[in-house]
Amino acid sequence: MIRFENVGMRYGAGPEVLHDVSFELAPGAFRFLTGASGAGKSSLLRLMYLFHRPSRGLINVFDQDISMLRRDDLPALRRRIGVVFQEFRLLDHLSAFENVALPLRVGGHGEGLIRKNVGELLEWVGLKDHMNARPATLSGGQKQRVAIARAVISRPALLLADEPTGNVDDRIAMRLLYLLEALNRQGTTVVVATHNQALIERFDYPSMHLEDGILHSRDVPGRGPEVSR
Amino acid sequence: MSAERARARAVIPFSADPAGRLMPWLIGFMTFVAGLALAGALTLDTFADSWSEGLADSMTVQIPPPADEMGDAQAAEARIDETVERALRVLRQTDGVASAESLPDARIRALLEPWLGATLDPGSLPLPRLIAVEIAGPDAVDLPTLRNRLATVAPDARLDDHGLWRARLVTFLNALQLVGLAVVAVVVLAAATVVVFATRGGLLAHGEAIELLHLIGASDGYIARQFQRQALKASLKGGIGGILVAGATVVALGQGAAATGADLPSPLVLRTEDWPYLAILPAAMAVLAFLAARRTVLRSLRRMP
Ligand SMILES: Nc1ncnc2c1ncn2[C@@H]1O[C@H](COP(=O)(O)OP(=O)(O)O)[C@@H](O)[C@H]1O
Ligand SMILES: [Mg+2]
């Protein structure tokens, strides 16, 4: 599903923020990505959702060497990746419904399917009564659920969540994790960046730990078929 | 789908940026200007035709006053009357001449009055005699032969077939027409430039939304469609408004010209068959705006990483 080999990354002419990152994620894997603030979690996720290119090393996403991709190839790949951004990145002028519907519209799906799927999903994340609300009128937790609904509406093969539990209380964070777990059981590969130690212990999935741009993996034996180094 | 719903659905919030709101007005104003210029160019066509036809159907024979004005005025008058009579006879016998009339003194003075003033003493200025000749049609008269025959009866007579006038007038009107069409072209190009700049402004203003759209898998084409639809709507709105105002202006000017009772064909009365050209203008503007927006977005996005 995803393979990094000796990947280095820098922003512009700045210093390298990721060094020699190597790992592999099998389809269906669930991983936490941990590390202190500034360790490079968001940067690593940006490489995975094809927002940044590595400055060195090899990245394979869906068995494609991303250095070989042309600009026109990106949309199709990105549609298979759902992202929950650290700052949510909802469009303020659109209702919750339209925000969640966006990936389907971009994918050219019909109005009927959009009504049905978006309605169901919003109900599932408990936002049935807030479909027409603008993000500005929603609480942090509600915005986050909108962001998650948008990330999963088109049933991505890979779901990347950047500190989704960052600014919600533990109860909501727990519910969120159950939700991601449910998606994972349906076959979605999930990577969750977080530094919520309680969650990591509670859910007991393997984690990848970043420290100053260097990746250390910590596997939990007997969990999932994936290989990692 | 209601307007409210459509607005709620616009993926990029164009209605929020000033440049976007200004666009219909700019395009409207430009369509108005281009519409007037085009109407002018089209009517000049009619104008040139009817004027040169009017001039082609007539000629003027000018018989200068006798040079020895110091002599007996009465005798001089009589001599010139005789010359005019001979010239009229020749003219009326010529094939292709419909009529030939000597213009009375009073008429000539009336023609000169604006230049010389009403207090002109008839005897103080030797006036030429003019013969207005109506001919059956262009080229109906064999001009060289007529000139020769006139020269035998009235050696000083000058026959003016208005050919030079006509040629100059047509050249002038054609030049004016070209200017009008050039104005249309320049204004249309300016409108396209406005769209290009508004689109670039929009790309900057909505950079975050565009980035997000890319991240959830939107192609450049999808984003271009948002912009081109917006440009099409804005330019249709402005273009139709502008051309309606231009059309109303043309009608009003035409009626104004008719009310003054001028004999001349008004330069702003459009023939029925000219109106469709005006109607095409906003459509052409819209297509151009659509293409300009699309090209601008695709080119800008292709430069992104
Ligand atoms: N857009 C950016 N431009 C330049 N430097 C950045 C940018 N984003 C992050 N960084 C730097 O990269 C390093 C890793 O940041 P980040 O990936 O956001 O870490 P984390 O998500 O773990 O907090 C930090 O030193 C940060 O300052
Ligand atoms: Mg981060």
Side-chain angles (χ1 to χ4, degrees), chain B residues 27-39 180 183-184 187 242 246 281 285:
Chain B
I27 302 279
F29 176 70
M30 289 174 157
T31 310
F32 171 74
V33 172
L36 283 191
L38 183 59
V183 168
V184 175
V187 171
L281 201 57
M285 285 275 198

Side-chain angles (χ1 to χ4, degrees), chain A residues 47-63:
Chain A
L47 289 174
M48 292 203 238
Y49 59 73
L50 310 175
F51 183 55
H52 272 287
R53 303 248 178 182
S55 38
R56 61 191 173 89
L58 177 89
I59 299 181
N60 268 289
V61 177
F62 301 125
D63 297 322

Side-chain angles (χ1 to χ4, degrees), chain A residues 49-51 71-72 75-76 78-79 81 83 85 88-91 93-95 98 102-103 105-106 111 115 132 134 150, chain B residues 4-5 7-13 207-209 211-220 222 225 301-305:
Chain A
Y49 59 73
L50 310 175
F51 183 55
R71 184 174 171 81
D72 293 343
R78 281 171 172 162
R79 281 177 210 171
I81 305 173
V83 186
F85 301 97
F88 307 144
R89 306 192 65 159
L90 301 177
L91 294 184
H93 67 288
L94 294 181
S95 65
E98 289 301 332
L102 218 47
R105 294 207 192 286
V106 162
E111 199 55 35
R115 299 254 137 234
N132 297 315
R134 298 284 161 100
R150 184 183 64 192
Chain B
E4 175 59 32
R5 167 127 274 154
R7 206 170 315 122
R9 178 92 55 75
V11 168
I12 296 172
E208 281 198 26
E211 190 177 280
L212 176 82
L213 287 171
H214 271 141
L215 287 176
I216 63 175
S219 61
D220 291 350
Y222 178 87
R225 279 198 288 285
L301 292 184
R302 216 175 301 130
R303 261 184 255 118
M304 282 174 55

Side-chain angles (χ1 to χ4, degrees), chain B residues 65-292:
Chain B
D68 49 12
E69 57 199 76
M70 283 313 174
D72 181 358
Q74 291 265 296
E77 270 305 295
R79 265 205 312 281
I80 194 171
D81 279 346
E82 221 170 280
T83 314
V84 168
E85 277 310 310
R86 282 200 303 268
L88 279 173
R89 230 171 296 131
V90 165
L91 285 164
R92 284 171 184 155
Q93 284 163 6
T94 305
D95 283 344
V97 170
S99 72
E101 298 298 337
S102 164
L103 289 186
D105 259 7
R107 179 96 171 92
I108 295 174
R109 268 202 298 279
L111 283 174
L112 291 176
E113 197 188 291
W115 284 278
L116 301 178
T119 55
L120 176 69
D121 171 10
S124 71
L125 194 71
L127 292 176
R129 297 298 193 83
L130 293 178
I131 300 172
V133 183
E134 296 290 322
I135 58 180
D139 306 322
V141 175
D142 178 3
L143 280 178
T145 312
L146 179 56
R147 267 187 228 282
N148 283 337
R149 292 180 58 204
L150 272 178
T152 59
V153 295
D156 295 334
R158 272 183 44 213
L159 174 67
D160 181 3
D161 71 341
H162 304 155
L164 189 60
W165 249 99
R166 222 156 61 206
R168 278 188 189 159
L169 182 73
V170 168
T171 310
F172 174 66
L173 291 180
N174 284 345
L176 264 187
Q177 208 166 22
L178 276 184
V179 169
L181 292 178
V183 168
V184 175
V186 166
V187 171
V188 168
L189 277 181
T193 311
V194 163
V195 172
V196 168
F197 278 97
T199 304
R200 282 196 196 147
L203 283 168
L204 281 181
H206 304 296
E208 281 198 26
I210 290 168
E211 190 177 280
L212 176 82
L213 287 171
H214 271 141
L215 287 176
I216 63 175
S219 61
D220 291 350
Y222 178 87
I223 289 157
R225 279 198 288 285
Q226 312 302 314
F227 278 85
Q228 72 207 24
R229 188 186 306 146
Q230 159 71 7
L232 185 71
K233 273 200 290 194
S235 62
L236 269 183
K237 231 197 261 177
I240 290 173
I243 207 67
L244 287 180
V245 177
T249 308
V250 169
V251 169
L253 286 177
Q255 279 171 355
T260 62
D263 306 341
L264 298 175
S266 159
L268 270 169
V269 176
L270 275 186
R271 292 171 296 193
T272 322
E273 67 262 34
D274 287 338
W275 285 99
Y277 289 106
L278 281 197
I280 287 171
L281 201 57
M285 285 275 198
V287 170
L288 197 68
F290 179 92
L291 294 176

